[in-house]
């Protein structure tokens, strides 16, 4: 009788296995190890905790659900140790599955109540164990694919912690409701219409939980789509701004070439007439009209060279020292378009020029280097001085410009990530650093 009771208690806990599989479904891209190692690791935890918990329940008869609660907490920490996802994301998925399994457990109690009305929720029975196990397997089969396809999309793309914690609160409310209405004595279900209400409540909780999960998916997906469209619009605006600056540079060069042609004709005429006094006066006036800052050839990329000269002139007008060294891969190796390259460099220099110009108590400088690493990666690094004042929100830098929109760094990050690269930004006292690494071969999708 004792062995039979122990295995009945163990049977009543086996719904944890389908629950664990369901928890892993949306984390397909967030696993630290490969699937075989994950299954072995979680299987070892299950084989260690379930029999031990069943034995404690059998031998010591502690208060109801205490042992199961401890097991669930231990399962959660084991679950988190296998993931790269945040604790908030893991907890959101875990509590969602816990609500589903709580409904399954209560439906198992309903089945047990039909067989033995004199029993209760804290009396383990084979009927309850088999019903809850079968229903948990059914829930796993029905929900595994949707969670693997849709919830995993949210896990991979939504990193806002407060959204995940909001879902945890909603699921926790449903979970507490399920725990609160567990039928301690099955005979109470036969009073008036309690049994009918019991079925309606649990069915409603199950449907509401799934509907809220579906609604959450579509809301977040639309938010992500809107944010992506906004970011693309911002990038296009910045690319248009960079294009306009390049056009002004080109037009200025064209004007200077045109004026130079006319100046040569005037000089030739004065030489032919041997009017040296007028020639000297003309040359003195013409030389003084040239801008002090000469046009430098930083690289062979015409568009990028225009961008670099524009911001170098801007920096010089603010008494900012500029050191620019450009090394680019051959054209057939470059994965960035001219527009993307100018957008990255232009955003870095625009922010750097603005930041350096705000410093009044120290040197103003901008250092920009691009170099090819092992013919495999393009490394862009920049350092500039600033006044030490930064604005951070959720660990992201915000603009300090009065009329700025704060999209420069996001634009750089978006372009880098689109090519399988990374962009990182940090500061140390009065110096700001930008580091971008972009592979020169596209990663496999």
């Amino acid at each position: 009788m004792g062995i039979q009771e122990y295995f009945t208690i163990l049977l009543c806990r086996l719904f944890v296995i389908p629950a664990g599989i369901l928890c892993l479904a949306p984390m397909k891209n967030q696993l630290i190890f490969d699937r075989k190692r994950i299954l072995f690791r979680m299987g070892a935890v299950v084989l260690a905790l379930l029999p031990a918990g069943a034995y404690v329940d059998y031998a010591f008869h502690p208060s109801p659900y205490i042992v199961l609660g401890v097991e669930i907490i231990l399962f959660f920490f084991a679950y988190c140790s296998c993931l790269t996802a945040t604790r908030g994301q893991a907890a959101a998925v875990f509590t969602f599955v816990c609500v589903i399994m709580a409904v399954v457990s209560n439906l198992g109690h309903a089945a047990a109540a039909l067989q033995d009305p004199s029993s209760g929720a804290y009396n383990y029975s084979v009927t309850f164990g088999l019903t809850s196990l079968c229903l948990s397997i059914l829930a796993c089969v029905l929900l595994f694919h949707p969670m693997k396809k849709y919830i995993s999309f949210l896990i991979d793309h939504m990193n806002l912690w407060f959204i995940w914690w909001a879902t945890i609160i909603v699921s926790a409310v449903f979970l507490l409701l399920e725990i609160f209405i567990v039928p301690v004595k099955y005979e109470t279900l036969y009073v008036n219409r309690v049994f009918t209400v019991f079925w309606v409540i649990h069915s409603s909780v199950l449907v509401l939980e799934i509907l809220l999960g579906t609604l959450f998916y579509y809301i977040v997906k639309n938010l992500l789509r809107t944010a992506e469209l906004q970011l693309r619009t911002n990038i296009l605006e910045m690319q248009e701004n960079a294009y306009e600056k390049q056009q002004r540079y080109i037009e200025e060069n064209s004007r200077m070439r045109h004026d130079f042609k006319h100046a040569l004709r005037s000089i030739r005429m004065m030489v032919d007439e041997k009017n040296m006094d007028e020639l000297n006066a003309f040359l003195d006036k013409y030389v003084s009209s040239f801008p002090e800052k000469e046009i430098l050839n930083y690289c062979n990329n015409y568009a990028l060279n225009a961008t670099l000269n524009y911001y170098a002139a801007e920096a010089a007008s603010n008494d900012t020292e500029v050191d620019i060294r450009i090394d680019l891969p051959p054209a057939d190796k470059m994965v960035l378009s001219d527009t993307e390259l100018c957008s990255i460099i232009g955003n870095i220099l625009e922010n750097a020029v603005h930041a350096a110009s705000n410093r009044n108590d120290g040197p103003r400088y901008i250092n920009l280097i691009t170099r090819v690493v092992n013919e495999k990666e393009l490394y862009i690094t920049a350092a500039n001085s600033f006044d030490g004042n930064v604005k951070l929100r959720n660990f992201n830098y915000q603009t300090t410009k009065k009329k700025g929109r704060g999209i420069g760094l996001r634009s750089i990050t978006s372009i880098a990530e689109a090519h399988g690269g990374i962009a990182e930004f940090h500061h140390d006292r009065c110096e700001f650093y930008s580091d971008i690494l972009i592979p020169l071969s596209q990663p496999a999708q």
Side-chain angles (χ1 to χ4, degrees):
M1 186 67 182
I3 296 298
Q4 183 180 355
E5 183 182 354
Y6 170 77
F7 279 105
T8 300
I9 296 174
L10 183 61
L11 174 64
C12 295
R13 281 179 153 73
L14 292 183
F15 70 88
V16 170
I17 297 175
I21 295 173
L22 201 55
C23 284
L24 290 173
M27 298 296 183
K28 62 178 183 178
N29 299 322
Q30 303 292 333
L31 301 178
I32 295 178
F33 313 109
D34 59 80
R35 294 180 181 178
K36 290 183 178 180
R37 290 184 64 185
I38 292 292
L39 292 176
F40 177 80
R41 187 185 182 110
M42 295 304 296
V45 173
V46 170
L47 290 176
L49 289 181
L50 287 188
Y55 177 77
V56 171
D57 261 353
Y58 164 72
F60 301 101
H61 302 288
S63 299
Y65 293 105
I66 286 184
V67 176
L68 183 60
V70 172
E71 287 177 333
I72 290 175
I73 293 173
L74 294 176
F75 281 136
F76 175 71
F77 285 110
Y79 174 62
C80 291
S81 68
C82 298
L83 307 175
T84 58
T86 65
R87 285 290 174 87
Q89 292 171 327
V93 173
F94 195 83
T95 51
F96 177 84
V97 174
C98 282
V99 173
I100 302 298
M101 293 305 155
V103 174
V104 164
S105 177
N106 275 319
L107 294 179
H109 286 306
L114 290 174
Q115 183 189 37
D116 185 7
S118 63
S119 184
Y122 304 144
N123 297 324
Y124 298 101
S125 67
V126 174
T127 302
F128 166 73
L130 288 176
T131 305
S132 60
L133 177 60
C134 292
L135 290 176
S136 64
I137 293 174
L138 179 62
C140 182
V141 171
L142 294 177
L143 296 177
F144 184 85
H145 179 71
M147 292 188 69
K148 181 180 179 181
K149 182 178 180 180
Y150 300 109
I151 305 302
S152 65
F153 172 83
L154 302 183
I155 296 291
D156 296 339
H157 294 87
M158 175 54 66
N159 297 318
L160 297 178
W161 62 270
F162 57 88
I163 291 182
W164 290 108
W165 284 102
T167 65
I168 293 172
I169 293 173
V170 174
S171 295
V173 170
F174 282 128
L175 184 59
L176 291 175
L177 175 63
E178 285 295 315
I179 295 173
F180 180 75
I181 59 177
V182 170
V184 178
K185 294 183 179 181
Y186 293 158
E187 58 189 23
T188 58
L189 296 176
Y190 289 89
V191 177
N192 295 326
R193 301 175 62 184
V194 173
F195 218 136
T196 303
V197 174
F198 184 79
W199 281 97
V200 170
I201 289 176
H202 293 301
S203 300
S204 300
V205 168
L206 181 61
V207 172
L208 279 174
E209 181 74 353
I210 294 175
L211 285 178
L212 287 174
T214 304
L215 183 63
F216 172 71
Y217 167 77
Y218 283 107
I219 290 175
V220 173
K221 187 175 181 180
N222 287 331
L223 287 175
L224 291 172
R225 184 178 299 168
T226 302
E228 183 180 359
L229 291 175
Q230 182 63 43
L231 182 58
R232 288 183 180 179
T233 301
N234 293 339
I235 291 174
L236 289 174
E237 289 177 358
M238 301 188 77
Q239 290 174 347
E240 182 182 4
N241 187 33
Y243 175 77
E244 291 175 354
K245 292 174 181 177
Q246 293 170 15
Q247 286 298 110
R248 288 198 295 270
Y249 171 79
I250 294 171
E251 291 171 1
E252 181 68 17
N253 278 351
S254 298
R255 184 189 64 78
M256 292 178 65
R257 287 196 299 269
H258 183 267
D259 292 346
F260 185 65
K261 186 187 297 184
H262 286 291
L264 287 178
R265 289 175 181 171
S266 299
I267 292 172
R268 179 61 182 270
M269 185 182 299
M270 295 175 193
V271 170
D272 290 342
E273 295 176 357
K274 297 181 180 180
N275 191 345
M276 294 303 169
D277 293 335
E278 187 174 348
L279 175 61
N280 288 329
F282 177 82
L283 288 175
D284 290 339
K285 183 178 180 180
Y286 186 70
V287 170
S288 64
S289 68
F290 274 98
E292 296 183 5
K293 182 65 178 180
E294 61 177 334
I295 304 300
L296 299 179
N297 186 29
Y298 293 102
C299 61
N300 294 326
N301 187 306
Y302 186 76
L304 179 59
N305 202 60
T307 301
L308 293 171
N309 273 281
Y310 175 83
Y311 284 109
E314 288 284 306
S317 65
N318 293 322
D319 298 323
T320 301
E321 183 180 349
V322 178
D323 181 14
I324 298 176
R325 285 171 280 175
I326 303 297
D327 175 29
L328 297 176
D332 59 338
K333 298 286 187 180
M334 173 61 80
V335 297
L336 298 174
S337 66
D338 285 354
T339 303
E340 291 174 324
L341 181 62
C342 291
S343 181
I344 291 176
I345 300 296
N347 279 314
I348 290 175
L349 290 177
E350 182 177 16
N351 291 336
V353 169
H354 171 76
S357 66
N358 288 336
R359 187 172 188 184
N360 299 318
D361 58 349
R364 298 179 177 181
Y365 60 86
I366 300 172
N367 299 324
L368 173 69
I369 299 175
T370 72
R371 59 190 177 93
V372 179
V373 182
N374 298 326
E375 300 182 355
K376 295 181 179 180
E377 297 164 328
L378 175 63
Y379 183 49
I380 304 172
T381 179
N384 63 269
S385 59
F386 75 113
D387 59 7
N389 295 320
V390 296
K391 291 182 180 180
L392 287 171
R393 181 182 300 170
N394 295 330
F395 304 103
N396 294 318
Y397 288 98
Q398 306 295 310
T399 182
T400 57
K401 301 175 185 177
K402 292 182 179 179
K403 297 183 179 180
R405 299 178 63 181
I407 60 175
L409 300 186
R410 281 185 289 161
S411 172
I412 295 171
T413 303
S414 177
I415 295 173
E417 291 179 349
H419 293 278
I422 57 173
E424 295 182 350
F425 310 96
H426 60 283
H427 72 281
D428 181 14
R429 295 184 180 179
C430 293
E431 191 166 42
F432 189 87
Y433 304 94
S434 303
D435 295 292
I436 299 94
L437 189 65
I438 299 175
L440 294 180
S441 60
Q442 292 294 343
Q445 297 296 323

